[in-house]
Amino acid sequence: MVSLIWHPGALEDLEAIVDFIELRNPLAAQRIGDAIRLTAERLPDHPYAYRPGRIPGTREAVVHPNYVLVYRVAENIEVVAVLHARQQYP
């Protein structure tokens, strides 16, 4: 069974995004946080459903037009970052 691993930096990204949105709209913050978590939870079942990433060896799930979940498919699924679409990346 493939498991999902969140890197500490990715969890910090998620928390920062939710905290930022929550200042303006708590309901929207909850929705986007839930959407990001749900997308991540589904990755072990369909790891190649999303586009190849801009960094070799990664893939990117567009969770919302503004948010991208960056992950690696290895022995497990490793979530490495959660980004705002306008962030310069890599």
Side-chain angles (χ1 to χ4, degrees):
M1 175 92 180
V2 176
S3 57
L4 180 68
I5 298 169
W6 283 82
H7 283 250
L11 288 171
E12 290 171 10
D13 294 342
L14 176 58
E15 185 177 335
I17 288 166
V18 170
D19 288 349
F20 178 79
I21 297 169
E22 191 171 39
L23 293 172
R24 291 148 188 82
N25 187 333
L27 185 57
Q30 171 137 13
R31 282 195 307 259
I32 196 66
D34 290 349
I36 292 168
R37 287 183 200 92
L38 181 60
T39 299
E41 289 169 9
R42 291 180 176 165
L43 290 175
D45 294 329
H46 304 285
Y48 296 101
Y50 298 100
R51 69 184 185 200
R54 289 168 266 186
I55 294 178
T58 65
R59 299 193 71 82
E60 298 176 357
V62 178
V63 178
H64 176 278
N66 292 330
Y67 297 101
V68 178
L69 183 69
V70 181
Y71 65 100
R72 281 191 210 110
V73 179
E75 188 174 309
N76 294 301
I77 304 299
E78 304 169 3
V79 178
V80 295
V82 182
L83 308 169
H84 189 280
R86 291 188 181 182
Q87 261 181 273
Q88 184 165 347
Y89 175 77

